[in-house]
Amino acid sequence: IGASGVTFQQVNCTGGVNGIVLNNTGTGGLTITGDGGSIKNASGGTISGTSGAGISITSGSNISLDQMTIQDALSDGLITTTVNNFSLTNSIITNNGNELNEHGIDFTNVTGIVRVTNSSFTNNEHEQIHIYNDVNGSTADYELSGVAMVSTGVAAAPNGSHGINMSAWNSASIDLRVLGNSTIDNMFSNSIQVQNEGTGTVEVTIAQTSFTNIGASAINIAQNSSGPVRFNINNNPTFLRGSNNGVSQSININQAGGAPAGALLEGQISNNTIGSNASTTAGSKSGDGIRVLSVGSGTTTVRINNNNIQGVGGNGINVQMSEDANTAHTMNATIFSNTVSVTDVNSFDGIRAVGGAASGDAGIMRLDIYNNNASSATGNDFNVRQRFSTTVQLLGYGGGSSDVAAVQNYLDVTKNNNPLGAGTDWFITIQAPGGGFVNTASVPQPTLPSN
């Protein structure tokens, strides 16, 4: 394709191997315009019933598809490999694939600017959108806006998986933003799954998105390498288990064991509504509302604020640094102005912050916890613990390192945290040979994604 590109109003295909194939077409682009409107009316064409991928693009550039329907392919709806710059708008991707690793869209080593806008993904076999990049030094900027995803939940077994699954490897860097009143409903596993397995930078922003009928986690972000991960999860109005399993954390942030000393995982979780008062497990059946877990040797810095959490089967908010003996292991957590109510008979604590879980665990956990309302029916409203060889540093704390009463007074009175539940108000422990609770002059704040 020449530098000026090629444009069609519509492309239609029923049957055959593929509806559209581009292979090594150079820098010139393919544009399909439809009728120029903003309605998902298939005026850009319908690709239906192919034995391979509905659309297959390899080593192309500047692809723009508008108002298309891609359906009933026996492989991926759309597979793009080594493509630079891609746009899909006002389109429907539905019922594609019949085996594992067959997706609505498969983005493999796609770079540059990727936009998916006002488009729906329904009942594609494995994942609705799959994003994978392992090209050293490459960068990609993904923005999904006004996207609607629906699957058949537990009925999607054995091949059903995530709504969006993104992973970065080697030194590839990826930005992902899910915005603009998007909805993700009834996924078999995680609604959004993000992993950094390389040395590049991964940045994730998820805002104004509703998660319903959650299968495992709504959002799962993991760092398993030295590559930095930054996240901003904000202003998402709905996290509901509904009729699905909801077996894991609604929001799960994990610095995994592959993260070495010096690795940076940082971000913000703010102004989200998790669960409801419809049932005691409306948000999750057995998981936490928000969990931030660090079991690598790196540094996790998180701000958790202004979230409303109820109806979860585990803890309301759970931050934990553990399972690593490296003294460089660090967690910085600022937790404020959250309202948490945990009412299920099998659930645990309202707000939980723990340094250490097993013998030999070491590192520094810095905490600033203030202006929170927490309630647990059967557990602890607040659970703050220093365990094994860790040290917990509290912002502006003036008491002794082993003075449990002073720690409770500091958190309760000085920091204005309000225990409101029927269970135990406070559970605070200190364990040798760690450093107990000591003062810190500051708790570092996270650097958020740049876009």
Side-chain angles (χ1 to χ4, degrees):
I1 298 176
S4 60
V6 61
T7 299
F8 295 93
Q9 180 177 342
Q10 61 179 240
V11 175
N12 294 283
C13 175
T14 301
V17 178
N18 311 104
I20 297 173
V21 176
L22 301 181
N23 191 349
N24 197 26
T25 53
T27 60
L30 168 68
T31 299
I32 297 177
T33 65
D35 62 16
S38 59
I39 300 173
K40 296 191 283 284
N41 62 4
S43 60
T46 297
I47 309 294
S48 180
T50 57
S51 61
I55 297 177
S56 176
I57 304 173
T58 304
S59 298
S61 298
N62 303 314
I63 309 301
S64 178
L65 309 177
D66 190 20
Q67 295 181 286
M68 296 198 72
T69 293
I70 305 170
Q71 62 188 19
D72 302 325
L74 293 183
S75 184
D76 298 289
L78 196 156
I79 184 168
T80 56
T81 305
T82 320
V83 169
N84 185 57
N85 298 334
F86 176 91
S87 172
L88 177 76
T89 55
N90 309 311
S91 294
I92 297 170
I93 314 295
T94 183
N95 293 319
N96 296 290
N98 62 357
E99 296 181 354
L100 283 171
N101 300 315
E102 294 179 348
H103 315 294
I105 298 183
D106 186 342
F107 292 110
T108 298
N109 293 329
V110 175
T111 57
I113 297 173
V114 180
R115 298 290 181 263
V116 179
T117 306
N118 190 35
S119 295
S120 63
F121 298 79
T122 306
N123 293 336
N124 298 291
E125 184 72 10
H126 190 192
E127 294 164 351
Q128 305 308 302
I129 295 180
H130 179 83
I131 301 168
Y132 175 96
N133 199 333
D134 64 0
V135 177
N136 281 318
S138 63
T139 61
D141 183 328
Y142 284 80
E143 183 171 293
L144 281 58
S145 179
V147 169
M149 294 186 177
V150 181
S151 187
T152 55
V154 293
N159 297 331
S161 188
H162 310 302
I164 301 167
N165 185 9
M166 184 185 93
S167 59
W169 295 77
N170 296 327
S171 62
S173 294
I174 309 178
D175 292 351
L176 172 66
R177 294 183 298 282
V178 183
L179 310 169
N181 299 313
S182 293
T183 60
I184 304 181
D185 180 60
N186 213 29
M187 295 300 121
F188 180 82
S189 187
N190 299 321
S191 303
I192 299 177
Q193 161 105 352
V194 175
Q195 299 175 92
N196 192 350
E197 301 281 354
T199 59
T201 299
V202 168
E203 295 193 340
V204 182
T205 298
I206 302 169
Q208 298 174 341
T209 295
S210 294
F211 300 88
T212 50
N213 295 306
I214 297 166
S217 290
I219 300 170
N220 185 57
I221 299 175
Q223 178 192 46
N224 195 35
S225 60
S226 62
V229 175
R230 303 185 187 102
F231 59 89
N232 189 358
I233 301 169
N234 70 92
N235 293 292
N236 298 290
T238 308
F239 291 80
L240 291 174
R241 175 174 69 90
S243 60
N244 210 333
N245 287 331
V247 293
S248 193
Q249 284 60 241
S250 297
I251 299 174
N252 188 43
I253 309 297
N254 182 20
Q255 186 174 69
L264 298 177
L265 170 65
E266 52 188 337
Q268 168 179 275
I269 304 169
S270 65
N271 296 297
N272 303 285
T273 300
I274 297 174
S276 71
N277 61 6
S279 78
T280 59
T281 57
S284 68
K285 185 175 182 179
S286 54
D288 302 332
I290 296 171
R291 185 180 77 163
V292 180
L293 176 66
S294 176
V295 297
S297 299
T299 297
T300 297
T301 300
V302 62
R303 180 167 58 240
I304 303 172
N305 66 282
N306 295 101
N307 300 285
N308 191 325
I309 303 169
Q310 56 186 323
V312 295
N315 303 283
I317 296 173
N318 181 12
V319 296
Q320 179 171 310
M321 180 193 75
S322 59
E323 299 182 42
D324 190 271
N326 194 322
T327 57
H329 195 190
T330 303
M331 176 176 278
N332 306 303
T334 302
I335 304 169
F336 66 95
S337 299
N338 299 283
T339 299
V340 179
S341 178
V342 177
T343 58
D344 192 71
V345 295
N346 297 310
S347 59
F348 302 112
D349 303 322
I351 296 178
R352 181 178 186 269
V354 177
S359 179
D361 284 356
I364 301 295
M365 188 176 201
R366 300 187 185 95
L367 297 175
D368 188 17
I369 304 175
Y370 61 95
N371 292 346
N372 298 285
N373 295 318
S375 170
S376 176
T378 58
N380 308 289
D381 296 343
F382 291 87
N383 182 342
V384 183
R385 306 182 71 186
Q386 176 274 310
R387 305 188 69 199
F388 302 101
S389 297
T390 67
T391 298
V392 175
Q393 300 180 354
L394 302 174
L395 183 67
Y397 172 65
S401 61
S402 59
D403 190 339
V404 171
V407 173
Q408 179 175 322
N409 185 72
Y410 159 85
L411 291 169
D412 193 356
V413 178
T414 305
K415 304 301 285 187
N416 193 36
N417 293 292
N418 300 303
L420 302 173
T424 303
D425 289 349
W426 293 93
F427 185 71
I428 299 169
T429 64
I430 297 166
Q431 185 173 28
F437 291 93
V438 299
N439 176 56
T440 182
S442 66
V443 176
Q445 296 299 296
T447 297
L448 301 183
S450 55
N451 291 317

